[in-house]
Amino acid sequence: QVQLVQSGAEVKKPGSSVKVSCKASGGTFSSYTISWVRQAPGQGLEWMGRIIPILGIANYAQKFQGRVTITADKSTSTAYMELSSLRSEDTAVYYCARENRVSSGYLNYYYMDVWGKGTTVTVSS
Amino acid sequence: QSVLTQPPSVSEAPRQRVTISCSGSSSNIGNNAVNWYQQLPGKAPKLLIYYDDLLPSGVSDRFSGSKSGTSASLAISGLQSEDEADYYCAAWDDRLNGWVFGGGTKLTVL
């Protein structure tokens, strides 16, 4: 059974960058899409972007365009999410999640079936 | 303001049934599958329902999902104290080209 193991908690200064990793173990990696979702304290889930490791293609939520970069290293089955120009509002738990799919005819419908435990990022001066 | 609309909270007594609604639009729920996630306090989200009404292996059949038009619902029957959690609906949005979530619903078992 695949597991997603995320890197440890980070404390960052405003204006700096953070890079969070997400390593897949126990299963295939490259053929699945990996999404990143964050959750600010006491708030709901917010999707940031996703990557298809086998293609190296990423797309991002409009809110984070220009500030987030999602990459993947197929050789180590690891995905990365880097967020720059950090501000206090970026304090949150950041999750990676694997997207699985159901095929219906020629269409695919996706869902996040495996989640990492989350990485707490605190932005404070 | 979330793209998908859920009630902030619901409550019901043990052994009863509760439903949580999720309202969207033609660019998300109306044209794509709905997934539901359960988040226990301090834990990562867990997949509860996918493709509108399918249960992942290991999820209790007390949980069920449905969809009609641009709205979806999660039903939980035989409520137990362990069901106290936050519940989120999610769907792909064709206009935004990304995932959208509901704001989450906190379930309290009285």
Side-chain angles (χ1 to χ4, degrees):
Chain A
Q1 177 75 323
V2 68
Q3 289 185 316
L4 299 178
V5 180
Q6 297 187 223
S7 49
E10 303 261 14
V11 178
K12 293 292 183 179
K13 299 284 189 192
S16 66
S17 298
V18 68
K19 191 170 186 177
V20 180
S21 67
C22 170
K23 183 175 175 61
S25 64
T28 57
F29 171 75
S30 295
S31 57
Y32 290 95
T33 300
I34 298 291
S35 262
W36 288 87
V37 176
R38 78 175 187 180
Q39 185 171 37
Q43 303 300 308
L45 302 174
E46 181 176 35
W47 180 75
M48 301 179 69
R50 69 207 291 241
I51 188 166
I52 307 172
I54 199 170
L55 300 176
I57 297 174
N59 70 293
Y60 307 113
Q62 189 170 11
K63 174 178 178 176
F64 300 101
Q65 286 274 5
R67 233 174 30 105
V68 68
T69 304
I70 297 174
T71 56
D73 183 340
K74 290 178 290 185
S75 68
T76 60
S77 298
T78 303
Y80 301 90
M81 186 284 300
E82 183 170 22
L83 188 62
S84 61
S85 302
L86 290 169
R87 34 205 188 236
S88 59
E89 309 90 88
D90 295 317
T91 294
V93 178
Y94 290 77
Y95 296 101
C96 61
R98 184 185 79 168
E99 291 188 30
N100 210 330
R101 68 178 183 266
V102 169
S103 295
S104 178
Y106 59 88
L107 295 175
N108 291 318
Y109 296 96
Y110 293 85
Y111 54 96
M112 299 177 201
D113 66 338
V114 179
W115 293 68
K117 291 187 185 297
T119 296
T120 299
V121 176
T122 303
V123 183
S124 174
S125 55
Chain B
Q1 192 101 8
S2 302
V3 174
L4 304 182
T5 301
Q6 298 179 233
S9 63
V10 296
S11 60
E12 187 52 88
R15 297 179 298 280
Q16 298 305 306
R17 182 178 185 270
V18 70
T19 61
I20 297 172
S21 61
C22 175
S23 177
S25 68
S26 58
S27 64
N28 42 68
I29 293 178
N31 202 38
N32 292 293
V34 177
N35 307 316
W36 290 89
Y37 301 91
Q38 178 193 58
Q39 187 176 34
L40 297 171
K43 300 294 188 181
K46 169 191 169 185
L47 179 66
L48 204 60
I49 298 285
Y50 67 103
Y51 194 45
D52 298 339
D53 59 10
L54 298 184
L55 262 67
S57 173
V59 172
S60 169
D61 60 4
R62 296 187 298 106
F63 296 92
S64 62
S66 64
K67 187 177 84 172
S68 178
T70 59
S71 293
S73 290
L74 171 71
I76 311 171
S77 60
L79 276 172
Q80 301 174 2
S81 58
E82 67 206 51
D83 298 330
E84 284 203 338
D86 293 323
Y87 293 85
Y88 294 90
C89 59
W92 184 262
D93 192 294
D94 296 327
R95 182 176 60 85
L96 297 174
N97 195 33
W99 287 103
V100 291
F101 287 92
T105 298
K106 182 175 184 60
L107 169 64
T108 300
V109 181
L110 300 171

